Amino acid sequence: MADALKGMRSKLGLPAPEPTARDLRHASRLLDRVAAEHGGDRAQALGAVLDVIGWMPRNRFWLRRILNARLLDSQWRGILNDFAVDRLGAGDVRDEARAGDAGAAPAQAKRHRHTWMCRHVLDRLGATGEAVSADDALTRRAFAVADELNRRDGLPVLDRGPQPAVPDVERHRLDEARRAHGGSMFAGAAGYVPGPAGPAGDGIGAEP
């Protein structure tokens, strides 16, 4: 149990302290308490605790606070309640969809469409919305993850076309070049023909 908690945090790049003897005592105590609620079955109890640890990355409140088995033990009731509420919410959505299918004029359950800033994408990236907004490379990864999740859920994916990585300085240079050529950099645009580099040596074709 302690190793699973440490491994989960380590994979997310979070502080993952090595379990101490005190942590192991708390892990054993927590396992005894959960086993008592499962008819004394310690294997089933361990599975229940590991399920909660596996869910914890989706709840940033507890992810910020539970660094070790001692804290997991002391906060177990609150963590378990949030875990149960999340599972109940997922079950309600499924029940609503089934009820809609059974009705004469079913109201289709609204399906979540993943966006580059939705919590599922941010959780997958392990980043905040502010970090994604401020980093072009991270923004592109967020769009890619959103597309991946929408494909997985059977939702249509927008065709954004190729998204080349263009540094800010280069983007600024291209914007200036477009303005100099009537807002277009495409061959055949009015007032523009391919030619040698201009006097600034910037590689932009000279005007005819």
Side-chain angles (χ1 to χ4, degrees):
M1 184 193 306
D3 286 344
L5 181 61
K6 176 178 178 291
M8 177 272 288
R9 293 184 59 83
S10 179
K11 286 179 182 177
L12 294 174
L14 298 172
E18 199 68 33
T20 65
R22 185 182 180 190
D23 290 324
L24 298 181
R25 286 196 300 272
H26 276 275
S28 180
R29 188 174 77 174
L30 175 58
L31 188 58
D32 287 342
R33 287 163 50 204
V34 178
E37 298 169 356
H38 288 80
D41 189 332
R42 288 175 67 85
Q44 187 176 359
L46 179 60
V49 176
L50 294 181
D51 283 347
V52 172
I53 291 173
W55 158 85
M56 206 173 292
R58 298 195 291 276
N59 186 297
R60 296 196 174 197
F61 177 84
W62 293 117
L63 196 60
R64 291 188 183 99
R65 289 161 176 78
I66 307 304
L67 277 71
N68 51 45
R70 173 176 56 84
L71 293 169
L72 182 67
D73 179 29
S74 65
Q75 300 295 323
W76 176 251
R77 287 299 173 194
I79 298 168
L80 185 61
N81 179 71
D82 284 4
F83 173 71
V85 169
D86 270 11
R87 295 187 68 181
L88 179 63
D92 286 346
V93 170
R94 289 193 295 270
D95 291 344
E96 182 182 343
R98 283 196 293 268
D101 290 342
Q108 186 176 2
K110 185 177 180 180
R111 301 179 66 187
H112 172 71
R113 180 176 181 79
H114 301 284
T115 66
W116 68 292
M117 288 287 279
C118 78
R119 66 180 181 86
H120 306 101
V121 170
L122 295 179
D123 286 348
R124 177 75 71 89
L125 293 174
T128 64
E130 292 82 358
V132 171
S133 298
D135 187 314
D136 286 348
L138 203 52
T139 299
R140 287 190 293 273
R141 285 181 57 200
F143 275 112
V145 170
D147 287 348
E148 175 192 341
L149 294 176
N150 283 324
R151 287 191 192 94
R152 181 201 66 186
D153 294 345
L155 294 170
V157 176
L158 297 176
D159 181 10
R160 301 187 185 91
Q163 300 291 317
V166 182
D168 288 343
V169 174
E170 180 70 5
R171 185 182 295 116
H172 177 72
R173 189 184 71 79
L174 292 176
D175 288 342
E176 291 294 318
R178 288 188 183 95
R179 283 193 289 271
H181 293 92
S184 177
M185 284 291 287
F186 295 104
Y192 174 80
V193 295
D202 57 5
I204 301 173
E207 297 263 343

